[in-house]
Amino acid sequence: MRKTTFVLSILAFIGSASFNSTAASLDVHGDIKINGKTVINAEGVFVESNTVNINDYFPTSSKVVTLAAIKKYYVDGSMVKDNHISKFHYEENGNIKKEETFINNELAFYTEWMNRTENSVDIVTNNEKVSIKFDKITNYPLVKLGATASRMERYVSTITESVDPEDIDKEIHFLDILSYTPIEKVNYTYGDGKVLNDCIVTTYEYIFNTEYSGSMKQARVLCKGIGTVSYNGYNLVSIEDK
């Protein structure tokens, strides 16, 4: 018997055995699981074994995730290797609060998210501070392996501080489309043989439309509750719970 059929049988049994009324209903708050696996989620959607909820693969607690890469390039015909380290700092609810990039142990770039509310956030970088007001944010839908899950962000970014005084008070209207296509569920090994068991290989695409338009596409590995552990030559080094 299929698990989904079995769950429906359970619901039918509870309805008929527990309530002597044709108008009876079962109100479940949360997921319905069998052997620890969700078969009907909190939104009432059947979850098949090859279904992926991208939201599950983002950070869910306070931690620092460190990734590293070796970047190679040529200067006057000679190869140069730079050691890059990126540190991602997450809050208790999984929201990112700071990103730092070090090149050869020197801080090269940082971004910090501050004063976050449901519809706004301030972002500080090396060069400027911007205030963002969101007009519309959607969520990633459940998708099967090989299908694409997309969401949108529509917002106004106002530059409040800048190394270029002419940019101050400038408003830019953004429409961003962020998409993940999960390809395969995998285990991910890092460090001295540590293994993360619930990960997905995906393609990631970011499309933005402002006064300038552009896009970016990458292969990424995401792990449940951790977030991105591999992208653009960067690979996971450590996870530090805070």
Side-chain angles (χ1 to χ4, degrees):
M1 181 183 294
R2 290 170 58 94
K3 285 188 175 181
T4 52
T5 305
F6 179 63
V7 171
L8 288 175
S9 299
I10 292 175
L11 298 182
F13 173 78
I14 293 175
S16 60
S18 302
F19 307 99
N20 187 21
S21 170
T22 58
S25 64
L26 177 67
D27 188 9
V28 177
H29 296 273
D31 299 340
I32 295 178
K33 300 182 179 183
I34 294 179
N35 294 329
K37 294 185 179 294
T38 300
V39 292
I40 303 177
N41 67 16
E43 286 72 43
V45 177
F46 282 97
V47 180
E48 299 182 25
S49 60
N50 65 340
T51 299
V52 174
N53 184 348
I54 296 297
N55 299 293
D56 290 342
Y57 293 85
F58 297 136
T60 55
S61 61
S62 178
K63 58 174 61 73
V64 178
V65 178
T66 301
L67 285 73
I70 297 177
K71 299 293 185 178
K72 302 177 182 179
Y73 58 96
Y74 286 88
V75 177
D76 297 328
S78 299
M79 179 182 288
V80 177
K81 297 181 180 179
D82 285 341
N83 294 313
H84 288 232
I85 295 176
S86 289
K87 291 181 176 288
F88 301 88
H89 302 252
Y90 298 101
E91 299 174 342
E92 290 183 2
N93 60 5
N95 284 332
I96 188 166
K97 63 179 180 180
K98 183 165 60 174
E99 176 185 348
E100 302 168 301
T101 298
F102 298 84
I103 300 177
N104 298 326
N105 297 319
E106 293 186 4
L107 181 62
F109 185 80
Y110 73 89
T111 305
E112 190 168 2
W113 288 257
M114 306 169 62
N115 305 319
R116 192 192 300 268
T117 69
E118 183 178 355
N119 299 310
S120 66
V121 66
D122 294 333
I123 300 178
V124 180
T125 70
N126 303 53
N127 302 317
E128 63 185 15
K129 179 178 180 180
V130 300
S131 178
I132 290 178
K133 305 292 184 184
F134 292 98
D135 172 58
K136 180 73 173 181
I137 301 175
T138 61
N139 292 319
Y140 291 107
L142 294 174
V143 292
K144 294 183 178 181
L145 291 176
T148 299
S150 298
R151 72 178 183 90
M152 63 162 282
E153 294 180 349
R154 190 171 62 213
Y155 57 94
V156 177
S157 173
T158 304
I159 300 174
T160 58
E161 298 178 17
S162 176
V163 295
D164 186 351
E166 293 184 2
D167 286 341
I168 294 178
D169 294 330
K170 181 178 180 179
E171 287 190 355
I172 304 175
H173 292 255
F174 282 84
L175 174 60
D176 295 350
I177 306 295
L178 303 92
S179 302
Y180 285 93
T181 303
I183 305 300
E184 187 65 59
K185 295 183 178 181
V186 297
N187 296 333
Y188 182 84
T189 303
Y190 72 101
D192 56 355
K194 296 177 182 177
V195 178
L196 299 173
N197 293 314
D198 193 347
C199 304
I200 52 173
V201 176
T202 76
T203 59
Y204 169 73
E205 187 170 17
Y206 169 54
I207 302 172
F208 61 90
N209 184 14
T210 64
E211 55 191 272
Y212 309 101
S213 294
S215 64
M216 174 188 71
K217 196 167 187 177
Q218 298 174 337
R220 292 191 174 189
V221 178
L222 281 66
C223 292
K224 192 170 187 177
I226 304 299
T228 300
V229 296
S230 180
Y231 78 102
N232 197 30
Y234 284 85
N235 290 289
L236 180 64
V237 174
S238 64
I239 303 168
E240 181 183 358
D241 292 323
K242 291 292 186 179

